[in-house]
Amino acid sequence: MLLVVAETIPCRPQALVVGAGLTGCLAALALARAGWLVVVVDLLKREALVSRQRAYALSQSSLALFQHLELTPALAPHLWGFERLTLRANQGSAQTHFHWNDLSGDAPPPIGWIAEHRPMMSVLLHHLEQNPHITLQLGSSFSPARGSHGWQQGWDLVVAADGHRSLVRQAMGVGCWGWTYDQSCITVHVRLRGVDPTMAWEVFRGEGPLALLPMGKGSTQVVWSTSRARGAALVAGEPQVFSQALAHALPPGVELMTVLNRPQAFPVALGLAQRLHQGNVLFLGEAAHYCHPLGGQGLNLCWRDVSHLYAMGDKVGKGERPVTWLLRTYGRRRAFDTMATLLATDGLLRLFANSWGLLNPLRWMALKLLRHSGPLRSLVLRPMAYGWGPFAMPQGFNHGSANSGRAHPGSDAGGQRGAPVPR
Ligand SMILES: Cc1cc2nc3c(=O)[nH]c(=O)nc-3n(C[C@H](O)[C@H](O)[C@H](O)COP(=O)(O)OP(=O)(O)OC[C@H]3O[C@@H](n4cnc5c(N)ncnc54)[C@H](O)[C@@H]3O)c2cc1C
């Protein structure tokens, strides 16, 4: 096991963050900003951490966190804003568009932003490295034995952000509820003809959902769900066969021009930790919950965890509250948003993304209702943007503030690609 030695600076509470993925990095930056001394460990070295070929759809709640951590100027050049989201059911060709004004904001925000993993991770690691209150230990094996106790005692707080297989969660004896889907998600970057660079798509197909996320400069990230067997065969097979299959899966009017990188397939599952903390250990991000990538909710949910950690960690850092208060309160504040997001994703998948013909009329009616009712679109879109329930974002995380100061989509104004990006 790794021996972690923290500097002893009086007055600052000390935290160990296990996992420097997108959740762990932001959790460490948030705690350091809230007045903590933080040590971050990850099994992977820097290059392995940044080299994931993936892009994420980020929501208003994630952008609000960037703003509060003053990361927006550094991240803005790597974000591409989209103003419309099209939901389409392939059977019967029903579709509906969500527009930014369905969010009922004061100013015209985009609906969301697409961010590529590599530049975003590089920026976050750079900030970790530059922060005098953070010690970063990459390539370090951290392996408490299953059921072992005591290893966490030297810290005021341990944040387990070590992903869905969380060793820390297992070591603390905390189980996970959930199930696996007989689906894999294929991710690949492509060039398409017939798409609007300010519009994202979620297409409900019989074999699973297919998302098209515009990334600027003419490229699009495809997140394509299919059966595990087909997913494995497609990514291992001939590139030509893959291209033909993808071209066939795209919505009418959208044509595949080029495949830009090697497709990868990930098995998908839903899981929820049976407790969100145990002793002085808090489970954050995918160590606490994971879901189907339908609707791009996973990372945004992880980062709402971080927003709450930041808000509560700030009170502890200022000496207004003890760490025990943070540990007790965190689970209560995060339970509803977490469960509602997991259930909504699973429900949508079961209702829309399957080949049961009997559900076709229901799907058609749901899309038609959405198409004609602005308030209904707003009702669906707002939880996706800000989370579920009144406590999804901490008090003081101002929705409206994520909606000001912007360039227009597609512009390169101020060095930004895409945007609008809050300042
Ligand atoms: C195909 C696909 C597409 C997706 N698309 C979207 C999207 O569009 N939008 C969205 O919001 N979300 C999306 N997600 C979900 C998103 O990828 C995850 O929610 C996010 O990556 C979780 O981050 P994390 O930091 O919690 O976990 P991870 O990224 O898994 O990071 C965990 C880290 O912990 C480290 N670690 C593990 N064990 C140890 C140990 N014992 N000691 C030290 N370090 C350890 C690992 O090396 C890793 O770096 C998608 C997921 C998939 C599978």
Side-chain angles (χ1 to χ4, degrees):
M1 189 201 292
L2 172 82
L3 180 67
V4 183
V5 183
E7 286 172 64
T8 30
I9 297 180
C11 299
R12 279 186 173 257
Q14 297 189 9
L16 169 66
V17 176
V18 184
L22 288 166
T23 305
C25 283
L26 275 183
L29 290 169
L31 284 173
R33 194 175 163 82
W36 292 60
L37 200 62
V38 188
V39 174
V40 188
V41 294
D42 199 289
L43 294 171
L44 299 178
K45 295 214 164 118
R46 198 180 206 286
E47 184 47 33
L49 276 171
V50 296
S51 66
R52 230 180 207 183
Q53 282 178 14
R54 196 178 284 179
Y56 309 92
L58 304 184
S59 68
Q60 303 281 339
S61 65
S62 294
L63 268 283
L65 177 65
F66 290 171
Q67 246 184 314
H68 280 261
L69 298 182
E70 291 185 3
L71 288 168
T72 318
L75 288 169
H78 309 294
L79 303 178
W80 182 267
F82 58 94
E83 293 200 339
R84 281 185 302 154
L85 169 67
T86 294
L87 288 195
R88 182 184 167 88
N90 247 17
Q91 302 94 337
S93 310
Q95 65 179 35
T96 191
H97 302 288
F98 289 89
H99 200 246
W100 55 260
N101 54 15
D102 291 324
L103 278 174
S104 349
D106 309 330
I111 284 185
W113 294 262
I114 308 300
E116 265 189 86
H117 181 85
R118 178 177 273 277
M120 188 162 58
M121 195 71 200
S122 303
V123 166
L124 296 183
L125 286 174
H126 175 75
H127 277 74
L128 288 176
E129 285 155 356
Q130 299 301 310
N131 193 310
H133 303 301
I134 297 177
T135 307
L136 186 57
Q137 302 187 349
L138 299 183
S140 308
S141 139
F142 183 82
S143 47
R146 190 184 283 248
S148 67
H149 290 284
W151 58 269
Q152 79 281 18
Q153 293 306 334
W155 304 91
D156 294 303
L157 177 71
V158 175
V159 175
D162 52 341
H164 67 285
R165 289 204 191 91
S166 179
L167 252 174
V168 176
R169 193 185 64 226
Q170 291 177 36
M172 297 305 292
V174 175
C176 214
W177 291 299
W179 49 82
T180 52
Y181 298 103
D182 179 32
Q183 275 190 357
S184 280
C185 235
I186 301 175
T187 57
V188 65
H189 291 180
V190 297
R191 274 192 210 292
L192 299 174
R193 187 180 292 130
V195 285
D196 173 346
T198 66
M199 185 167 92
W201 292 73
E202 188 78 66
V203 184
F204 297 113
R205 308 180 65 250
E207 61 176 352
L210 174 115
L212 303 179
L213 310 175
M215 299 196 302
K217 304 220 167 97
S219 74
T220 299
Q221 156 103 358
V222 176
V223 184
W224 175 17
S225 303
T226 184
S227 72
R228 286 197 182 204
R230 184 164 191 238
L234 280 171
V235 298
E238 291 293 317
Q240 235 180 336
V241 176
F242 177 82
S243 300
Q244 275 167 9
L246 177 57
H248 185 70
L250 292 172
V254 178
E255 266 177 62
L256 177 66
M257 291 165 71
T258 329
V259 173
L260 297 170
N261 64 5
R262 247 192 64 222
Q264 294 182 332
F266 305 87
V268 282
L270 178 144
L272 174 65
Q274 287 165 4
R275 296 175 57 90
L276 295 182
H277 82 91
Q278 176 82 314
N280 64 340
V281 181
L282 210 61
F283 308 117
L284 228 69
E286 291 216 332
H289 46 71
Y290 43 92
C291 57
H292 195 286
L294 165 69
Q297 291 294 294
L299 187 60
N300 297 296
L301 183 64
C302 295
W303 284 353
R304 290 201 290 278
D305 293 351
V306 176
S307 297
H308 280 270
L309 176 67
Y310 177 45
M312 291 184 221
D314 190 47
K315 289 198 164 52
V316 177
K318 286 180 181 148
E320 292 170 9
R321 298 279 195 164
V323 181
T324 45
W325 165 82
L326 184 157
L327 288 159
R328 269 200 325 268
T329 317
Y330 176 85
R332 284 206 298 272
R333 297 229 173 128
R334 291 305 298 136
F336 185 77
D337 182 29
T338 304
M339 281 195 275
T341 304
L342 299 195
L343 290 175
T345 325
D346 188 65
L348 266 181
L349 189 71
R350 287 175 199 276
L351 179 61
F352 279 98
N354 60 62
S355 44
W356 298 338
L358 281 177
L359 287 177
N360 279 348
L362 199 61
R363 292 191 264 254
W364 179 85
M365 204 155 75
L367 288 176
K368 193 153 174 95
L369 275 175
L370 280 171
R371 195 177 175 147
H372 292 288
S373 168
L376 196 60
R377 286 198 301 278
S378 178
L379 204 71
V380 171
L381 197 57
R382 287 186 69 84
M384 287 174 74
Y386 304 118
W388 290 82
F391 305 114
M393 286 166 74
Q395 244 184 349
F397 267 59
N398 186 356
H399 299 173
S401 67
N403 300 337
S404 57
R406 64 210 56 246
H408 283 291
S411 84
D412 279 323
Q416 296 173 11
R417 258 184 6 196
V421 173
R423 282 273 162 201

